[in-house]
Structures are given as C-alpha cells and as structure tokens.
Amino acid sequence: MEAVAACMALRFAANGTGDIRHAYWLTAPAGKMLAHGKLHQPCAGWFYPTSLPRSVRLGADYLGLLGAAGGYRFPLPRALDLHAAERLAAWLHRLPRTGQTTMLTTTVSSAVRVALAAIAAGIVTILREPPIPTRAGKVLPFHLASAAHGRL
C-alpha cells in the first residue's frame, strides 16, 4: 500500500494537485481509499452506482472502524443511481470551499455524466484530467457524441 500511495503522491505532484480531498462514485474503491488515507488526504464521500455486494458492505464497516482507530474518517457508502449524476454534481458544488482540489474518482462514462449534469445545471466547474492522447482523442468525443444522442 505504501508503494501505491507513493506513486499516487508523485502523480498528484506532477499535475500540481497536492492538497486534495476525494470523493468516489464506485462500487468498491477500498484500495484507492486506503492509499489516499495513507497520504492524509480526506475523503468527502463515497457513492455507489449499482447494488452493493454484501462483502463490500461489510468491508465498508471494517474500513470505517480501521480509519477511526487510526484517526482517519472513511465515509459509509451511499446509493446514487447512474441516472442521478445531477445529484452528485450538486453535492460536489455544495462542498465547503476549503482551497482543496476535490477529486472525483469514477469511471469515464460516469465522469462525463457528472460533467454534463454540471454544465446543464449552470455549475461553474474546472474539469481537469491529465491529457492522455488516447482519451482526449477517442474516448471523450465518443462519450459526448453518445450523450448528445441519449445513449449514455
């Protein structure tokens, strides 16, 4: 876990995002949560888009106890349907302004849903991801074209 956290710290520093708080829209982000906790980066929330397996539910309880013992808060998962991206965009927008960058960890298609919901709601956001030619040239235009045709 220390090696993973060290690699993440280097990636965050290379992209100029050192002071980060995290939010997750994934079913089972425990590994990422542990690595971010190791970096002392707070977790603002954990949402899951589909049904939560019993093992993940039990793991979330254990993670909460583990964090409490170490002085770190791991939030319990909250259900948020894939078609409710506007609720996540609004939640992100309501987070207190602390000067930290809020990083949402999710799938590419879910990130596009949140971005489109934020744009539709008139929320001013800065969408930032390290430029990766494959994603920038192929994935994002595909998702935006899919969204335009209602296929997201």
Side-chain angles (χ1 to χ4, degrees):
M1 190 53 60
E2 295 211 9
V4 171
C7 288
M8 286 181 172
L10 287 172
R11 187 183 77 216
F12 296 149
N15 289 294
T17 53
D19 191 15
I20 301 171
R21 68 177 161 198
H22 297 272
Y24 309 90
W25 194 15
L26 295 168
T27 301
K32 292 178 186 321
M33 292 172 82
L34 286 169
H36 296 149
K38 192 90 172 141
L39 296 172
H40 305 287
Q41 296 173 338
C43 181
W46 170 12
F47 302 91
Y48 61 94
T50 58
S51 63
L52 201 60
R54 179 176 160 79
S55 60
V56 174
R57 205 171 302 122
L58 292 172
D61 291 338
Y62 177 73
L63 198 58
L65 292 172
L66 184 66
Y72 186 84
R73 181 189 163 275
F74 290 108
L76 290 174
R78 292 186 277 176
L80 184 67
D81 187 79
L82 282 173
H83 300 289
E86 68 284 347
R87 288 181 38 212
L88 184 53
W91 179 85
L92 288 165
H93 185 64
R94 286 191 309 269
L95 285 174
R97 304 293 181 243
T98 61
Q100 294 173 300
T101 297
T102 300
M103 180 180 290
L104 176 63
T105 301
T106 189
T107 62
V108 173
S109 61
S110 293
V112 171
R113 289 171 198 257
V114 174
L116 292 173
I119 291 167
I123 297 171
V124 178
T125 60
I126 298 172
L127 303 174
R128 182 167 183 236
E129 180 176 330
I132 300 172
T134 306
R135 284 191 189 151
K138 296 178 184 169
V139 176
L140 190 57
F142 169 77
H143 284 289
L144 291 176
S146 295
H149 291 90
R151 291 188 305 238
L152 262 185

